[in-house]
Amino acid sequence: KQQLEAAFTAFLSQNGNDVSVLTERELIGLGNFLCGMTTSQVSRINLGAFSESVRRIGLLTDCDNARLGALRSLAGKLYGGPNSWGQDTILELGVVAAGLSSSELSGLHEDRLRAITPLAISVMDPNKFKSAFSVWRIGRLGPSQAMAVTDKQLKVLSR
């Protein structure tokens, strides 16, 4: 995490220190270094650039729960609340869907639940996973989603 933060800070200092002017290409090119942004920086990402790069941002694997939550908030500015998101939006968002709160996740209709990518399941905070997914909801996961549940998530479920 510290390495991601240091790398992102170095990039910003070499390129003007303004997150709001990052382009789609820069957001995509930074890849997992975006996970080194503070939540405040995430909130300042240009919505147009985010919209154009969200499919690639949705493939990041190194963002913690706080940063995923900040990306989810950004997605909310773009797409509205998660109850208005269709399956296509959830698929497009990828791991950003892991930034939904426990109550937002547990409130998703079953068809939207099935749209959460296996990668999003795998990066989801174990405690959030436990509180958002009842036994019934876990039973509604698709095979690839179920295979993506991590050992840490399973451990927390068994407590």
Side-chain angles (χ1 to χ4, degrees):
K1 180 177 164 181
Q2 289 176 334
Q3 291 170 325
L4 293 173
E5 291 171 0
F8 185 75
T9 300
F11 172 82
L12 272 187
S13 65
Q14 292 174 4
N15 292 285
N17 283 324
D18 190 356
V19 171
S20 67
V21 298
L22 292 177
T23 65
E24 165 199 1
R25 295 180 92 179
E26 289 169 322
L27 291 173
I28 290 169
L30 282 164
N32 276 309
F33 291 115
L34 288 177
C35 299
M37 290 179 144
T38 65
T39 56
S40 173
Q41 289 170 324
V42 171
S43 70
R44 293 194 308 268
I45 293 174
N46 176 282
L47 281 180
F50 178 74
S51 173
E52 296 298 319
S53 60
V54 71
R55 287 179 193 250
R56 296 293 289 276
I57 290 171
L59 299 173
L60 301 178
T61 56
D62 291 333
C63 291
D64 63 19
N65 195 47
R67 286 161 178 87
L68 289 171
L71 287 167
R72 176 266 173 259
S73 293
L74 201 59
K77 291 177 185 176
L78 193 60
Y79 299 111
N83 288 331
S84 67
W85 297 353
Q87 291 176 320
D88 290 343
T89 300
I90 293 171
L91 282 168
E92 181 175 278
L93 290 173
V95 299
V96 175
L100 291 167
S101 69
S102 297
S103 61
E104 289 171 330
L105 283 165
S106 60
L108 286 178
H109 189 272
E110 185 178 340
D111 67 328
R112 292 182 179 114
L113 175 71
R114 299 286 301 258
I116 297 174
T117 65
L119 184 58
I121 297 282
S122 73
V123 301
M124 201 171 290
D125 175 76
N127 291 313
K128 180 192 296 187
F129 183 84
K130 179 181 181 176
S131 62
F133 289 90
S134 64
V135 171
W136 182 87
R137 289 178 76 74
I138 290 171
R140 299 298 178 267
L141 295 176
S144 59
Q145 290 172 311
M147 293 296 294
V149 175
T150 67
D151 289 340
K152 287 180 182 179
Q153 291 165 333
L154 289 173
K155 247 182 215 174
V156 170
L157 286 175
S158 67
R159 288 189 211 150

